[in-house]
Amino acid sequence: MNSKHQYIDLYRTNAEAIDSGSAPALNRLRPQAAAALEATDFPVRGAEGYERTDVNAMFGPDYGVNIHRLDIPADIAASWRCDVPNMSTLLGVVANDAFIPSASLESRLPEGVIFTSLRRAALEYPELVANAYGSTAPLTDSMVALNTMLAQDGVFIRIPRGCRMSRPLQLVNIFSAPTPMLAPRRVLVVMEEGSEAQLLVCDHTQDCNRSYLSSEVVEIIMGENARLDYYCIEESSAMTSRHSQLFARQESGSVLMVNSSTLTAGNTRNDFTVTVNGKGCDTRLSGMVIASDGMHVDNSVNMLHLAPKCHSDQLFKYVAGGKASCAFQGRILVSEEAPFTDAYQTCRSVLASPEARMHAKPQLEIYNDEVKCSHGATTGQLDADALFYMRTRGIPEAEARTMLMQAFMADVIETVRMDGLRDRLRHLVEKRFAGKDASCSECHASCRERHTDPNND
Amino acid sequence: MDTNDKEIKSTDSNIIDEVTRGDYKYGFTTDIDTDIIEKGLTEDTVRHISAMKGEPEWLLDFRLKAFRHWLTLTPPRWAHLDIPEIDFQAISYYAAPRKKEGPKSLDEVDPELLDTFNKLGIPLEEQKALSGMAVDAVMDSVSVKTTHREKLAELGVIFCSISEAVKDYPDLVRKYLGKVVSYRDNFYAALNSAVFSDGSFVYIPKGVRCPMELSTYFRINAAGTGQFERTLIVADDDAYVSYLEGCTAPMRDENQLHAAIVEIIVEDRAEVKYSTVQNWYAGDAKGRGGVYNFVTKRGLCRGDFSKLSWTQVETGSAITWKYPSCVLAGEGATGEFYSVAVTRNYQQADTGTKMIHLGRNTRSTIVSKGISAGHSQNSYRGLVKVAPNADGCRNYTQCDSLLLSQHCGAHTFPYIDVMNDTAVVEHEATTSKISEDQLFYCNQRGIPTEEAVGLIVNGYAKEVMNKLPMEFAVEAQRLLAVTLEGSVG
């Protein structure tokens, strides 16, 4: 049976409570979303695009949803210190699905910049939110429909016209609840004409012995000539599942960079859908996955070129150890209206253990002859010659492997345009490959035992 | 300067236009008496076909099982193809040239039939005399004439139509039929298994290197008939055979269905080379008519160090749905796939291969070249799978697409599934149009644009063309020339 039904039932029986815990601008789409979800099933495992990810199994268990907006005593203080060294960010925390601003956040925001709870924004700026909410994420997608039907809160970011943020914004998503829980998370980013910003999103889990599930939908609207660097880092736990979808729409001249790092997770599916609507846009998508034990990580990219003279580049790298199963789907579509498009895609994977699995599906769909497009995908091991060379120079094999794997990930890390974050990622990857706990050391004091070496088997 | 540039540009596109238009050269019908059974498909039809061919009980059972399974299936819809609703009850499932007395020499063969082959450029006599090939000509499903039988028989090679094989070598056929492509495999495989009319059977005994290239021509002739041929090739230990298949269909307005199955079994250290030139009628410039080509081709490299090589040149058919595959089960087995697919006007092609690595140290190479023109859609779809126990596998895939017009599409859908950490799998794909720099360079050296386009396209396809046997390469190159009218310099 399709596991969507329990959620539709949940909504039908609690519609009023859900509405009252939210805002009209968000409630407006709920009935439509419920109808859309009823009309389309969750994708089944093996369906095109979901070859390796079982959404029904992910959403099947009985999770609690905090529809009555109860305060869950989250030990936020522990995560408060998730500061990246040498980086001073404007921080907001999402505990499960509720936004908690850091102290004096609002007073530190430049004029006109909004970085607040989606629910509050929907009450204070109903028109702004109503126009943007749901404008890039289609309800025809059953997973979006589910999120739209249940999301009561989230994060709203608006960077006004011509505003260049000097300090990066940081969002920490944290799971902390005494029972298994599903958190519908929603982020809405509106970049107005000529604005510039950097946004760092970290996903964490505080209690590693409890299972959590997040359904995340991020909508990004890029005005003309806007620039956004979006980084997301997932360091959750083996019992955390995440179904995350990012939808971005780019108007002419805008520059979008998305960098996703999956360092520790249970069962993760990330979708990135970028629609290029105006000419002269630039899009860079990169991803790094270090998977071990029984981790499952599936990245799916949908790069839609609908306007001429745009450029896009995708780079995804995987190291899979233990019994990890990884997947990559990347689709570049160049429509007839998009001549002079340059679009490239690369996916490279290293299988570091006999039981690791990699499934790659790079795709090109081209309806125009004035294009330059290519994709490449490789799956293999570390270069035996390089390993041998290093050993002849007296470097022990294990160390040589670690060094080569770090070098393998280096070009993804290099795409990061924030110095502090780049160093931090390098450090995390180093620790991760060395088999140590890769979490930001301050972050979650409670779980130390869960990380293992991707080399071990 | 500006206007000059524009002029050059417009002549360029005119030439490319001309080059990619070109009418179907093989569009003629042969007026030979044919036996056609009533349209429609029921269990009775299946029994009728089987009875007409005088088949043994077990084969009728096989057909009926397939038919009953087919009833439970629906046509696959996952391909990047726009397939109109096909009324499977509006097709006649069997058409055979009426049997006169069995021809004892070439003189007794219907002269019109010989003429058909002559128009196709395969005069039987000449080929028999000059090229030393054995041709098993299949016309509307029944094998008409087989040459060089005696020579092959001396070596123990069996090369005959599958209906003859059922009569003469029932044990062999029964042992291998449906072992690689089961009737449960897919919709069209089930359909074919139920109603297959004829095809070729090849058996190469242990240690025999077949001295000549075996060749079959398929041709859909009668209007409103589907062709469902079935080919079964078995290469025993240490055997070698090169098999050629060429297809043409005359011009018909109504779409014709062609659902074939090719099964190949390769034993220890044996090698099979299977080459196809497919030139079914592709429909007219408006996209009316043409053949639907839904084919299941699969080879099982069962033996250690066995090798199977597919080479295909696809220029015809309104819709092509075809994935010649290799199951590499034996240790050190090798699979190869070389393909050139040309689509123009409103043609659609979704073609590629599957390389399934089950044995240790198996290797595969895939080279696919797509050329799309007009309003056509050309897709490569391929699977490379490495099973958990298949250590030391190696795959290299390259698929390039060339776009010759603004309205065509070129797509690539590779699936790469690796479950073993010692495998090395590489995939590369590029899409672009003919480089202006290359054209300009040729022009600058005094090569007219028309010739230059031909040169570039030929050079682009060369890697695959080189894999075709000599006799076939000539024909394939001619075909490419006809398809890309006037392009070959």
Side-chain angles (χ1 to χ4, degrees):
Chain A
M1 195 177 100
N2 214 278
S3 54
K4 66 171 183 177
H5 297 291
Q6 54 178 319
Y7 298 101
I8 297 175
D9 292 347
L10 177 80
Y11 170 70
R12 297 268 184 241
T13 46
N14 295 289
E16 256 172 55
I18 292 174
D19 279 357
S20 67
S22 189
L26 310 183
N27 296 339
R28 195 173 50 97
L29 289 181
R30 253 180 258 283
Q32 265 169 272
L37 186 59
E38 234 158 46
T40 43
D41 282 349
F42 282 169
V44 288
R45 187 172 187 271
E48 208 59 39
Y50 281 86
E51 279 87 352
R52 288 294 175 277
T53 299
D54 193 341
V55 173
N56 279 299
M58 211 184 223
F59 284 81
D62 190 13
Y63 289 104
V65 182
N66 186 11
I67 44 178
H68 298 288
R69 315 308 299 160
L70 300 173
D71 272 344
I72 292 169
D75 184 12
I76 303 300
S79 56
W80 231 221
R81 280 170 280 135
C82 186
D83 263 343
V84 176
N86 308 321
M87 248 178 62
S88 157
T89 57
L90 297 162
L91 179 74
V93 175
V94 172
N96 303 325
D97 60 347
F99 183 81
I100 306 168
S102 61
S104 74
L105 171 68
E106 266 169 61
S107 61
R108 292 188 295 159
L109 290 174
E111 204 192 328
V113 173
I114 304 171
F115 179 22
T116 185
S117 131
L118 182 60
R119 184 183 166 205
R120 203 177 126 192
L123 294 169
E124 285 176 22
Y125 318 94
E127 209 169 310
L128 194 60
V129 172
N131 284 340
Y133 187 69
S135 69
T136 62
L139 289 179
T140 46
D141 184 319
S142 55
M143 304 313 294
V144 174
L146 173 79
N147 184 284
T148 310
M149 184 177 84
L150 296 179
Q152 290 168 285
D153 196 1
V155 181
F156 180 73
I157 296 171
R158 195 265 316 247
I159 313 293
R161 195 176 169 148
C163 173
R164 296 182 173 187
M165 297 285 292
S166 53
R167 294 172 74 184
L169 301 170
Q170 188 183 7
L171 190 62
V172 176
N173 288 321
I174 233 183
F175 264 118
S176 180
T179 52
M181 177 163 196
L182 161 69
R185 290 173 175 162
R186 189 90 181 198
V187 178
L188 182 54
V189 181
V190 179
M191 301 290 296
E192 291 186 357
E193 261 171 67
S195 61
E196 276 184 40
Q198 293 179 313
L199 174 61
L200 168 63
V201 181
C202 311
D203 273 27
H204 297 298
T205 300
Q206 239 184 358
D207 186 344
C208 298
N209 300 315
R210 211 157 260 132
S211 56
Y212 299 111
L213 168 65
S214 68
S215 147
E216 303 179 13
V217 172
V218 178
E219 291 185 89
I220 298 176
I221 297 153
M222 303 280 289
E224 286 181 18
N225 301 315
R227 297 175 77 97
L228 175 68
D229 290 358
Y230 180 95
Y231 302 97
C232 59
I233 300 173
E234 187 184 1
E235 289 173 60
S236 55
S237 72
M239 295 190 60
T240 305
S241 300
R242 157 173 147 142
H243 190 283
S244 147
Q245 292 172 295
L246 180 143
F247 293 88
R249 190 181 66 224
Q250 287 186 261
E251 295 305 335
S252 51
S254 59
V255 179
L256 174 67
M257 204 268 263
V258 175
N259 180 301
S260 146
S261 309
T262 310
L263 300 177
T264 321
N267 190 355
T268 291
R269 159 85 179 196
N270 296 319
D271 277 13
F272 304 93
T273 303
V274 180
T275 310
V276 177
N277 253 352
K279 63 181 181 188
C281 293
D282 188 88
T283 314
R284 278 164 210 276
L285 297 166
S286 51
M288 166 168 76
V289 174
I290 301 175
S292 58
D293 304 331
M295 270 171 74
H296 171 80
V297 184
D298 181 351
N299 283 319
S300 170
V301 178
N302 230 336
M303 184 70 225
L304 310 172
H305 282 277
L306 307 182
K309 296 184 183 171
C310 295
H311 174 269
S312 73
D313 219 328
Q314 298 171 32
L315 174 65
F316 281 79
K317 291 210 167 181
Y318 291 74
V319 171
K323 288 184 179 174
S325 84
C326 295
F328 172 77
Q329 283 101 226
R331 171 165 172 252
I332 297 175
L333 181 135
V334 181
S335 76
E336 232 181 302
E337 290 73 41
F340 308 106
T341 295
D342 286 357
Y344 308 99
Q345 179 188 76
T346 308
C347 170
R348 297 194 184 287
S349 330
V350 166
L351 291 183
S353 87
E355 283 171 289
R357 304 278 181 268
M358 180 68 205
H359 171 84
K361 199 176 85 179
Q363 303 179 60
L364 294 175
E365 244 184 281
I366 317 286
Y367 296 93
N368 197 300
D369 68 333
E370 292 284 358
V371 296
K372 280 193 202 127
C373 292
S374 73
H375 66 207
T378 58
T379 305
Q381 314 84 44
L382 296 173
D383 183 3
D385 289 347
L387 259 182
F388 178 73
Y389 176 82
M390 290 168 87
R391 291 177 66 192
T392 60
R393 302 281 145 157
I395 302 169
E397 189 180 343
E399 204 174 308
R401 277 183 182 280
T402 312
M403 283 165 80
L404 281 174
M405 284 200 267
Q406 277 174 42
F408 176 73
M409 284 302 183
D411 50 355
V412 182
I413 298 174
E414 286 312 310
T415 61
V416 174
R417 289 194 276 232
M418 284 151 84
D419 293 344
L421 180 63
R422 193 167 53 234
D423 293 344
R424 187 77 198 159
L425 269 178
R426 218 177 267 142
H427 179 64
L428 287 179
V429 168
E430 197 177 314
K431 284 211 298 191
R432 184 77 173 83
F433 280 132
K436 293 182 196 141
D437 185 346
S439 63
C440 316
S441 48
E442 294 85 9
C443 241
H444 17 161
S446 52
C447 349
R448 286 276 172 234
E449 70 290 343
R450 61 216 157 83
H451 299 287
T452 43
D453 181 3
N455 293 319
N456 72 350
D457 330 292
Chain B
M1 189 64 202
D2 218 352
T3 41
N4 240 350
D5 270 3
K6 264 186 195 158
E7 264 172 35
I8 290 174
K9 230 180 171 171
S10 80
T11 18
D12 277 5
S13 57
N14 281 346
I15 288 166
I16 293 177
D17 251 25
E18 272 172 37
V19 155
T20 54
R21 242 182 275 125
D23 288 328
Y24 189 64
K25 295 274 157 102
Y26 300 128
F28 48 84
T29 53
T30 312
D31 292 323
I32 303 179
D33 295 339
T34 39
D35 278 333
I36 301 182
I37 61 168
E38 288 281 299
K39 284 182 181 177
L41 181 54
T42 59
E43 216 167 287
D44 286 343
T45 324
V46 176
R47 285 178 196 280
H48 187 66
I49 292 171
S50 188
M52 252 161 62
K53 299 170 77 66
E55 285 173 355
E57 190 75 24
W58 64 266
L59 195 52
L60 178 63
D61 278 353
F62 175 81
R63 283 178 185 275
L64 289 174
K65 262 194 272 174
F67 175 73
R68 282 165 201 154
H69 183 64
W70 178 75
L71 290 175
T72 66
L73 301 174
T74 48
R77 287 277 165 207
W78 43 261
H80 191 87
L81 299 170
D82 182 17
I83 307 172
E85 212 47 56
I86 299 171
D87 184 358
F88 290 93
Q89 297 304 333
I91 297 169
S92 169
Y93 284 86
Y94 187 75
R98 186 165 298 153
K99 268 235 175 76
K100 298 171 185 170
E101 279 295 288
K104 296 204 174 60
S105 72
L106 281 174
D107 305 334
E108 285 176 35
V109 174
D110 194 327
E112 257 195 272
L113 182 62
L114 287 178
D115 199 41
T116 304
F117 288 124
N118 282 330
K119 280 191 219 164
L120 277 174
I122 45 152
L124 283 182
E125 315 88 317
E126 246 185 73
Q127 291 209 356
K128 195 175 174 184
L130 296 175
S131 66
M133 277 201 291
V135 177
D136 179 20
V138 173
M139 190 159 160
D140 279 352
S141 322
V142 166
S143 175
V144 180
K145 179 150 182 63
T146 308
T147 49
H148 283 285
R149 265 304 251 304
E150 308 82 29
K151 180 106 194 269
L152 292 171
E154 270 172 38
L155 291 164
V157 173
I158 303 169
F159 178 36
C160 60
S161 75
I162 210 149
S163 4
E164 282 176 272
V166 168
K167 290 196 186 82
D168 300 346
Y169 316 99
D171 294 344
L172 270 181
V173 177
R174 195 170 178 180
K175 184 172 166 197
Y176 292 112
L177 190 77
K179 291 297 178 296
V180 184
V181 180
S182 139
Y183 67 86
R184 307 182 75 90
D185 196 81
N186 66 64
F187 181 82
Y188 296 108
L191 179 64
N192 177 291
S193 300
V195 301
F196 71 92
S197 35
D198 212 336
S200 300
F201 175 73
V202 177
Y203 177 81
I204 315 288
K206 279 185 182 158
V208 172
R209 196 181 161 85
C210 187
M212 59 192 86
E213 259 134 10
L214 304 181
S215 165
T216 309
Y217 273 80
F218 293 110
R219 189 150 201 286
I220 303 180
N221 204 29
T225 59
Q227 186 156 20
F228 306 92
E229 84 272 0
R230 196 165 177 121
T231 303
L232 179 56
I233 300 175
V234 181
D236 218 324
D237 295 355
D238 300 291
Y240 168 84
V241 65
S242 167
Y243 187 88
L244 321 178
E245 174 202 299
C247 324
T248 48
M251 227 160 188
R252 293 278 182 206
D253 250 353
E254 229 176 298
N255 298 299
Q256 286 176 309
L257 180 65
H258 175 250
I261 289 182
V262 176
E263 290 180 280
I264 301 177
I265 291 156
V266 196
E267 300 285 8
D268 285 355
R269 297 168 302 277
E271 178 177 349
V272 174
K273 194 171 156 64
Y274 193 102
S275 315
T276 314
V277 172
Q278 187 261 112
N279 186 31
W280 304 112
Y281 178 47
D284 64 10
K286 294 265 160 52
R288 280 183 306 240
V291 171
Y292 296 166
N293 191 23
F294 303 140
V295 182
T296 310
K297 292 185 172 185
R298 193 174 305 149
L300 172 61
C301 291
R302 193 156 70 173
D304 293 347
F305 305 100
S306 53
K307 180 175 176 184
L308 173 59
S309 176
W310 298 99
T311 308
Q312 60 171 25
V313 176
E314 302 276 321
T315 62
S317 294
I319 303 176
T320 304
W321 179 92
K322 173 177 170 184
Y323 315 92
S325 316
C326 300
V327 180
L328 304 169
E331 188 178 337
T334 306
E336 289 177 351
F337 176 76
Y338 296 94
S339 162
V340 173
V342 185
T343 54
R344 63 206 170 101
N345 299 332
Y346 285 88
Q347 267 175 280
Q348 303 176 62
D350 194 304
T351 180
T353 183
K354 288 195 255 182
M355 293 290 173
I356 297 159
H357 294 260
L358 302 177
R360 286 192 297 149
N361 298 320
T362 46
R363 284 164 296 156
S364 61
T365 308
I366 300 170
V367 176
S368 163
K369 305 273 182 182
I371 301 163
S372 21
H375 293 262
S376 65
Q377 301 295 334
N378 196 335
S379 311
Y380 166 83
R381 187 183 298 275
L383 167 74
V384 176
K385 187 170 187 161
V386 180
N389 295 326
D391 290 337
C393 295
R394 184 78 178 85
N395 162 270
Y396 173 72
T397 305
Q398 184 194 339
C399 48
D400 297 329
S401 309
L402 198 60
L403 294 150
L404 298 180
S405 97
Q406 276 173 33
H407 308 290
C408 58
H411 320 297
T412 319
F413 307 106
Y415 299 65
I416 305 162
D417 249 343
V418 184
M419 305 191 215
N420 186 295
D421 65 328
T422 58
V424 177
V425 178
E426 288 173 90
H427 175 96
E428 264 181 77
T430 60
T431 304
S432 60
K433 61 180 215 163
I434 290 184
S435 143
E436 310 238 329
D437 290 353
Q438 285 177 6
L439 272 181
F440 177 72
Y441 179 82
C442 290
N443 287 162
Q444 182 210 28
R445 302 277 146 158
I447 301 167
T449 308
E450 181 178 345
E451 252 174 65
V453 170
L455 211 63
I456 293 163
V457 170
N458 258 316
Y460 172 78
K462 197 104 212 159
E463 203 178 337
V464 174
M465 293 300 206
N466 281 345
K467 296 287 169 187
L468 286 172
M470 229 275 281
E471 295 84 346
F472 231 33
V474 177
E475 166 157 354
Q477 243 165 23
R478 218 165 55 205
L479 204 69
L480 206 63
V482 169
T483 314
L484 301 172
E485 181 81 275
S487 68
V488 178

